[in-house]
Amino acid sequence: MKLLLLFTSILLFGFSSLKESPNDFDYKISDIVREFKSEIMDKDECEKQKRAVDDLANDIEDAIKNADEFNSDEIIELKKLKEEAKALEEFIAAVGNCGNYIPSIKKFNLANRRVGANVISIIKDKYCVDVISVSIGNYVAYLGENNSTKNYTVTYKWKVPNSMNTGNGTMGLSELSVRHVYDNREKPSQKNISIFGITCKEF
């Protein structure tokens, strides 16, 4: 009987010790960011990290539901980490062009505090929406940025300076949000483009 009680105690202690702390989740977010940044030129890897951080956000939500296992400060931290994980999912999808996501500017900035991408304003106050570039290593993405409180259907054109390479597109861009326009994944040396002829139709 004593052996049975001892065995049960060991099992219970073992399971309880498996509880993941906010620090564990924080480390996992950082690990996903490292993988995303190092493998960003690989679209399949980008999609993999997007799924990984989505799964992690769900794990954090499950931990929050078991509130009795954490103190109040840990619950606050878990909620912050969940918000950051969801923002990172949208950031990876939009910047990495591996998902049709339109992150809010707030979520974009929240995620980038962890990612540390180089963000540069390319077009500011010239058209109805602005354009930013986001650089991570050799990868460069251009995003439309809607700083207004209006929802737009945006049309645009782009070209590579001193080249015949051109393109155009149409996209919806919600209020106070960003959305992918172009990246150099298929042509790594083609980092610099000019975006012009931007027009907006409110919806």
Side-chain angles (χ1 to χ4, degrees), residues 3-14:
L3 285 174
L4 180 60
L5 289 173
L6 178 62
F7 181 69
T8 302
S9 298
I10 291 172
L11 283 178
L12 289 173
F13 176 77

Side-chain angles (χ1 to χ4, degrees), residues 4 10 12 18 28 30 34 45 47 55-56 71 75 80 84 88 91 102 112 114-115 162-163 182:
L4 180 60
I10 291 172
L12 289 173
L18 293 176
K28 288 183 176 181
S30 293
R34 282 192 294 271
E45 186 65 28
E47 292 173 345
D55 290 341
L56 183 59
N71 61 43
I75 292 296
K80 289 180 179 178
E84 185 178 3
L88 182 59
F91 182 99
I102 311 175
N112 198 43
R114 175 84 64 156
V115 176
N162 304 315
S163 169
Y182 168 89

Side-chain angles (χ1 to χ4, degrees), residues 20 25 28-29 32 48-67 70 78-89 101:
E20 292 187 288
F25 289 121
K28 288 183 176 181
I29 291 175
I32 289 170
K48 178 181 176 182
Q49 298 311 317
K50 181 189 68 177
R51 292 192 299 270
V53 77
D54 180 42
D55 290 341
L56 183 59
N58 291 333
D59 290 343
I60 298 172
E61 174 63 24
D62 289 340
I64 293 170
K65 290 177 181 177
N66 295 318
F70 301 95
L78 286 171
K79 289 179 178 179
K80 289 180 179 178
L81 289 169
K82 178 193 171 186
E83 181 182 11
E84 185 178 3
K86 295 304 292 182
L88 182 59
E89 177 188 356
Y101 287 58

Side-chain angles (χ1 to χ4, degrees), residues 10-164:
I10 291 172
L11 283 178
L12 289 173
F13 176 77
F15 286 130
S16 63
S17 66
L18 293 176
K19 181 191 77 173
E20 292 187 288
S21 69
N23 284 340
D24 294 327
F25 289 121
D26 187 89
Y27 175 82
K28 288 183 176 181
I29 291 175
S30 293
D31 192 48
I32 289 170
V33 167
R34 282 192 294 271
E35 288 295 318
F36 166 63
K37 292 174 69 175
S38 66
E39 302 292 341
I40 192 169
M41 298 302 285
D42 184 335
K43 188 170 184 177
D44 290 338
E45 186 65 28
C46 177
E47 292 173 345
K48 178 181 176 182
Q49 298 311 317
K50 181 189 68 177
R51 292 192 299 270
V53 77
D54 180 42
D55 290 341
L56 183 59
N58 291 333
D59 290 343
I60 298 172
E61 174 63 24
D62 289 340
I64 293 170
K65 290 177 181 177
N66 295 318
D68 55 328
E69 297 183 8
F70 301 95
N71 61 43
S72 58
D73 288 339
E74 287 176 321
I75 292 296
I76 291 172
E77 184 63 23
L78 286 171
K79 289 179 178 179
K80 289 180 179 178
L81 289 169
K82 178 193 171 186
E83 181 182 11
E84 185 178 3
K86 295 304 292 182
L88 182 59
E89 177 188 356
E90 296 189 22
F91 182 99
I92 289 173
V95 173
N97 192 24
C98 55
N100 192 25
Y101 287 58
I102 311 175
S104 68
I105 294 173
K106 180 180 178 181
K107 286 185 176 181
F108 174 86
N109 290 331
L110 172 61
N112 198 43
R113 285 202 288 270
R114 175 84 64 156
V115 176
N118 185 30
V119 179
I120 298 174
S121 177
I122 302 298
I123 299 174
K124 182 74 172 176
D125 299 330
K126 182 177 180 180
Y127 299 107
C128 41
V129 298
D130 300 328
V131 176
I132 59 174
S133 70
V134 183
S135 300
I136 300 174
N138 290 321
Y139 180 87
V140 180
Y142 286 73
L143 278 67
E145 182 179 51
N146 182 3
N147 286 293
S148 78
T149 55
K150 298 177 181 179
N151 299 314
Y152 290 127
T153 297
V154 181
T155 60
Y156 57 89
K157 300 176 183 178
W158 62 264
K159 64 181 179 180
V160 178
N162 304 315
S163 169
M164 297 297 290

